[in-house]
Short mmCIF file of all heavy atoms in Angstrom, two decimals:
data_model
loop_
_atom_site.label_atom_id
_atom_site.label_comp_id
_atom_site.label_asym_id
_atom_site.label_seq_id
_atom_site.Cartn_x
_atom_site.Cartn_y
_atom_site.Cartn_z
N ILE A 7 -53.98 -26.44 94.33
CA ILE A 7 -52.60 -26.73 93.80
C ILE A 7 -52.42 -28.22 93.78
O ILE A 7 -51.91 -28.84 92.77
CB ILE A 7 -51.55 -26.05 94.71
CG1 ILE A 7 -51.63 -24.55 94.58
CG2 ILE A 7 -50.12 -26.46 94.32
CD1 ILE A 7 -50.96 -23.68 95.61
N ALA A 8 -52.84 -28.88 94.92
CA ALA A 8 -52.54 -30.35 95.01
C ALA A 8 -53.31 -31.10 93.95
O ALA A 8 -52.83 -32.01 93.32
CB ALA A 8 -52.93 -30.80 96.39
N ARG A 9 -54.59 -30.67 93.69
CA ARG A 9 -55.40 -31.36 92.73
C ARG A 9 -54.97 -31.16 91.35
O ARG A 9 -54.95 -32.12 90.56
CB ARG A 9 -56.92 -30.96 92.87
CG ARG A 9 -57.68 -31.40 91.69
CD ARG A 9 -59.05 -32.06 91.93
NE ARG A 9 -59.41 -32.37 93.25
CZ ARG A 9 -60.72 -32.33 93.61
NH1 ARG A 9 -61.66 -31.93 92.78
NH2 ARG A 9 -61.07 -32.66 94.79
N TYR A 10 -54.64 -29.96 90.91
CA TYR A 10 -54.44 -29.69 89.53
C TYR A 10 -52.95 -29.55 89.11
O TYR A 10 -52.59 -29.74 87.93
CB TYR A 10 -55.20 -28.42 89.09
CG TYR A 10 -56.67 -28.66 89.24
CD1 TYR A 10 -57.43 -28.05 90.20
CD2 TYR A 10 -57.36 -29.52 88.37
CE1 TYR A 10 -58.78 -28.29 90.36
CE2 TYR A 10 -58.70 -29.77 88.45
CZ TYR A 10 -59.37 -29.17 89.52
OH TYR A 10 -60.74 -29.45 89.67
N PHE A 11 -52.09 -29.16 90.07
CA PHE A 11 -50.68 -28.84 89.58
C PHE A 11 -49.59 -29.63 90.25
O PHE A 11 -48.48 -29.44 89.89
CB PHE A 11 -50.49 -27.36 89.74
CG PHE A 11 -51.53 -26.51 88.98
CD1 PHE A 11 -52.43 -25.67 89.61
CD2 PHE A 11 -51.57 -26.62 87.60
CE1 PHE A 11 -53.32 -24.95 88.90
CE2 PHE A 11 -52.47 -25.94 86.82
CZ PHE A 11 -53.34 -25.03 87.46
N LYS A 12 -49.94 -30.43 91.27
CA LYS A 12 -48.91 -31.17 91.97
C LYS A 12 -48.72 -32.54 91.29
O LYS A 12 -49.73 -33.29 91.11
CB LYS A 12 -49.20 -31.39 93.40
CG LYS A 12 -48.06 -32.08 94.22
CD LYS A 12 -48.35 -32.13 95.70
CE LYS A 12 -47.45 -32.99 96.52
NZ LYS A 12 -46.09 -32.52 96.53
N ARG A 13 -47.61 -32.86 90.79
CA ARG A 13 -47.34 -34.16 90.12
C ARG A 13 -46.05 -34.80 90.60
O ARG A 13 -45.23 -34.13 91.07
CB ARG A 13 -47.33 -33.90 88.56
CG ARG A 13 -48.50 -33.14 88.09
CD ARG A 13 -48.38 -32.71 86.62
NE ARG A 13 -48.88 -33.82 85.74
CZ ARG A 13 -48.38 -34.06 84.61
NH1 ARG A 13 -47.37 -33.51 84.21
NH2 ARG A 13 -49.00 -35.06 83.90
N PRO A 14 -45.92 -36.10 90.44
CA PRO A 14 -44.73 -36.76 90.84
C PRO A 14 -43.53 -36.13 90.11
O PRO A 14 -43.56 -35.85 88.94
CB PRO A 14 -44.91 -38.21 90.36
CG PRO A 14 -46.29 -38.38 89.91
CD PRO A 14 -46.91 -37.01 89.70
N VAL A 15 -42.40 -35.97 90.87
CA VAL A 15 -41.24 -35.37 90.29
C VAL A 15 -40.58 -36.34 89.34
O VAL A 15 -40.74 -37.57 89.51
CB VAL A 15 -40.22 -34.81 91.26
CG1 VAL A 15 -40.78 -33.55 91.97
CG2 VAL A 15 -39.85 -35.88 92.27
N ARG A 16 -39.93 -35.87 88.36
CA ARG A 16 -39.16 -36.74 87.42
C ARG A 16 -37.68 -36.40 87.59
O ARG A 16 -36.93 -36.90 88.39
CB ARG A 16 -39.66 -36.59 86.01
CG ARG A 16 -41.05 -37.21 85.92
CD ARG A 16 -41.42 -37.37 84.44
NE ARG A 16 -41.24 -36.16 83.75
CZ ARG A 16 -42.22 -35.49 83.13
NH1 ARG A 16 -43.41 -36.07 83.05
NH2 ARG A 16 -42.04 -34.34 82.49
N ARG A 17 -37.19 -35.45 86.82
CA ARG A 17 -35.80 -35.12 86.86
C ARG A 17 -35.41 -34.26 88.07
O ARG A 17 -34.32 -34.26 88.60
CB ARG A 17 -35.34 -34.42 85.60
CG ARG A 17 -34.35 -35.18 84.83
CD ARG A 17 -33.34 -34.31 84.11
NE ARG A 17 -32.43 -33.64 84.98
CZ ARG A 17 -31.72 -32.55 84.59
NH1 ARG A 17 -31.81 -32.15 83.41
NH2 ARG A 17 -30.94 -32.02 85.48
N ALA A 18 -36.46 -33.40 88.53
CA ALA A 18 -36.22 -32.44 89.59
C ALA A 18 -35.89 -33.20 90.89
O ALA A 18 -36.37 -34.31 91.03
CB ALA A 18 -37.36 -31.55 89.79
N ALA A 19 -35.08 -32.61 91.79
CA ALA A 19 -34.77 -33.28 93.08
C ALA A 19 -35.98 -33.06 93.96
O ALA A 19 -36.24 -33.83 94.88
CB ALA A 19 -33.47 -32.73 93.62
N LEU A 20 -36.70 -31.90 93.76
CA LEU A 20 -37.85 -31.62 94.61
C LEU A 20 -38.79 -30.70 93.73
O LEU A 20 -38.38 -29.74 93.09
CB LEU A 20 -37.37 -30.77 95.79
CG LEU A 20 -38.42 -30.47 96.84
CD1 LEU A 20 -38.98 -31.76 97.50
CD2 LEU A 20 -37.81 -29.63 98.01
N GLY A 21 -40.10 -31.09 93.79
CA GLY A 21 -41.03 -30.33 92.93
C GLY A 21 -41.95 -29.47 93.82
O GLY A 21 -41.54 -28.92 94.82
N VAL A 22 -43.21 -29.47 93.48
CA VAL A 22 -44.32 -28.70 94.17
C VAL A 22 -44.43 -29.02 95.61
O VAL A 22 -44.45 -30.31 95.86
CB VAL A 22 -45.63 -28.77 93.46
CG1 VAL A 22 -46.73 -28.18 94.27
CG2 VAL A 22 -45.51 -28.17 92.02
N GLY A 23 -44.52 -28.10 96.51
CA GLY A 23 -44.85 -28.52 97.92
C GLY A 23 -43.98 -27.92 98.95
O GLY A 23 -44.35 -27.80 100.14
N ASP A 24 -42.75 -27.43 98.58
CA ASP A 24 -41.89 -26.84 99.58
C ASP A 24 -41.72 -25.42 99.23
O ASP A 24 -42.36 -24.83 98.31
CB ASP A 24 -40.51 -27.58 99.70
CG ASP A 24 -40.05 -27.60 101.14
OD1 ASP A 24 -39.92 -26.50 101.72
OD2 ASP A 24 -39.77 -28.73 101.67
N ASP A 25 -40.85 -24.64 99.91
CA ASP A 25 -40.68 -23.32 99.66
C ASP A 25 -39.93 -23.07 98.33
O ASP A 25 -40.17 -22.05 97.66
CB ASP A 25 -39.98 -22.64 100.80
CG ASP A 25 -40.83 -22.52 102.02
OD1 ASP A 25 -41.94 -22.00 101.89
OD2 ASP A 25 -40.45 -23.04 103.11
N CYS A 26 -39.08 -23.94 97.95
CA CYS A 26 -38.41 -23.94 96.65
C CYS A 26 -38.46 -25.27 95.99
O CYS A 26 -38.53 -26.30 96.71
CB CYS A 26 -36.88 -23.56 96.80
SG CYS A 26 -36.57 -21.87 97.43
N ALA A 27 -38.39 -25.28 94.72
CA ALA A 27 -38.09 -26.56 94.00
C ALA A 27 -36.59 -26.65 93.94
O ALA A 27 -35.83 -25.67 93.96
CB ALA A 27 -38.70 -26.50 92.61
N LEU A 28 -36.15 -27.87 93.74
CA LEU A 28 -34.58 -28.09 93.57
C LEU A 28 -34.37 -28.83 92.31
O LEU A 28 -35.02 -29.81 91.99
CB LEU A 28 -34.08 -28.92 94.78
CG LEU A 28 -34.26 -28.22 96.17
CD1 LEU A 28 -33.90 -29.16 97.30
CD2 LEU A 28 -33.37 -26.96 96.22
#
Side-chain angles (χ1 to χ4, degrees):
I7 295 164
R9 164 133 355 148
Y10 296 107
F11 301 117
K12 186 173 168 69
R13 308 175 86 212
V15 288
R16 289 194 307 238
R17 245 214 68 194
L20 186 64
V22 170
D24 214 304
D25 290 305
C26 290
L28 296 171

